[in-house]
Amino acid sequence: MPRLCGLILAAGASSRMGRDKALLPWPPGARDGSTLLSAAISALQPFADGVVVVVGKNADSLSPVIEARGASMVRNLSPERGQFSSLQIGLREVLAQGGDAAMMTPVDCPPLSPATLKLLRAEFDKALADDRWAVAPESHGRRGHPLFANRALMDAFLSAPLTSNAREVKHAHAQRFAYVPVPDPQLSVDMNTPEEYAAVAALAPCQPR
């Protein structure tokens, strides 16, 4: 089986949110310092052979979280080039660490449940046996993250020009993708503004106080 690494993209400026989305409390109302970033790392770790986090100008504020959770960090020195540049930087780091498959997600996607991630990992293994390249979750017609990608899809992302984007690459290889229905209500939600965060938080299980 491939050596699967988690990959979290957290280099964005979060300009519409007004604060770094990676450091938003998660679960909502958490008082133990848990954030979207720490929750994402913890969610991926049981199913991966390591987790890589791509950071940008927020490196100083995110590095303590990354180190505390036992993940590794790589920096995008020019995050203004967009998320695709962070994806390529992260995938190169996954390869440098000996990974040949990646479980990828932006940091602002609420982590899926352990049961769902276990299902996706099992379906990814099946998809590889059927000569598919990738598995992703879907719910009510919407597709989300994490995206499980094999080495062939990683190479396709890395060989694409920086002016491209992940959607274009996925569309070019659509026949190689498998989508798995999942029950998680937070799949593929938008969380770019304080109002959207509040709406998503209302759907999430709150931490006991």
Side-chain angles (χ1 to χ4, degrees):
M1 301 307 298
R3 186 172 186 272
L4 179 68
C5 289
L7 176 57
I8 301 171
L9 307 180
S14 304
S15 55
R16 285 192 284 168
M17 182 65 69
R19 56 188 294 197
D20 197 330
K21 287 184 281 187
L23 297 178
L24 289 172
W26 201 267
R31 294 185 174 183
D32 60 356
S34 180
T35 63
L36 269 172
L37 176 56
S38 63
I41 294 171
S42 295
L44 298 186
Q45 280 176 327
F47 307 97
D49 296 306
V51 176
V52 173
V53 182
V54 183
V55 303
K57 296 176 181 178
N58 54 1
D60 290 344
S61 59
L62 298 193
S63 60
V65 179
I66 295 167
E67 292 173 6
R69 297 285 171 163
S72 59
M73 183 178 79
V74 62
R75 186 168 182 175
N76 183 348
L77 297 177
S78 302
E80 65 277 3
R81 294 179 302 172
Q83 191 178 82
F84 194 62
S85 68
S86 290
L87 175 62
Q88 291 184 323
I89 288 169
L91 289 175
R92 292 188 189 101
E93 180 64 20
V94 167
L95 293 175
Q97 293 190 15
D100 53 6
M103 178 172 37
M104 306 176 290
T105 184
V107 74
D108 59 356
C109 291
L112 302 184
S113 69
T116 294
L117 291 172
K118 182 178 180 180
L119 170 65
L120 291 171
R121 177 63 201 262
E123 291 298 321
F124 182 53
D125 293 341
K126 293 178 184 177
L128 295 180
D130 291 335
D131 202 27
R132 299 290 183 95
W133 288 6
V135 161
E138 66 177 1
S139 178
H140 302 292
R142 300 196 71 180
R143 292 166 177 171
H145 296 87
L147 170 66
F148 288 69
N150 75 348
R151 178 61 187 267
L153 182 56
M154 292 170 64
D155 288 342
F157 283 132
L158 289 171
S159 63
L162 189 57
T163 53
S164 184
N165 57 60
R167 182 175 297 179
E168 290 178 355
V169 176
K170 289 188 287 186
H171 180 74
H173 303 284
Q175 74 280 3
R176 299 284 191 174
F177 280 66
Y179 293 95
V180 180
V182 301
D184 301 62
Q186 298 164 124
L187 181 72
S188 194
V189 297
D190 295 317
M191 199 157 55
N192 297 308
T193 66
E195 294 76 18
E196 289 174 347
Y197 170 64
V200 173
L203 298 175
C206 292
Q207 178 168 300
R209 301 190 178 190

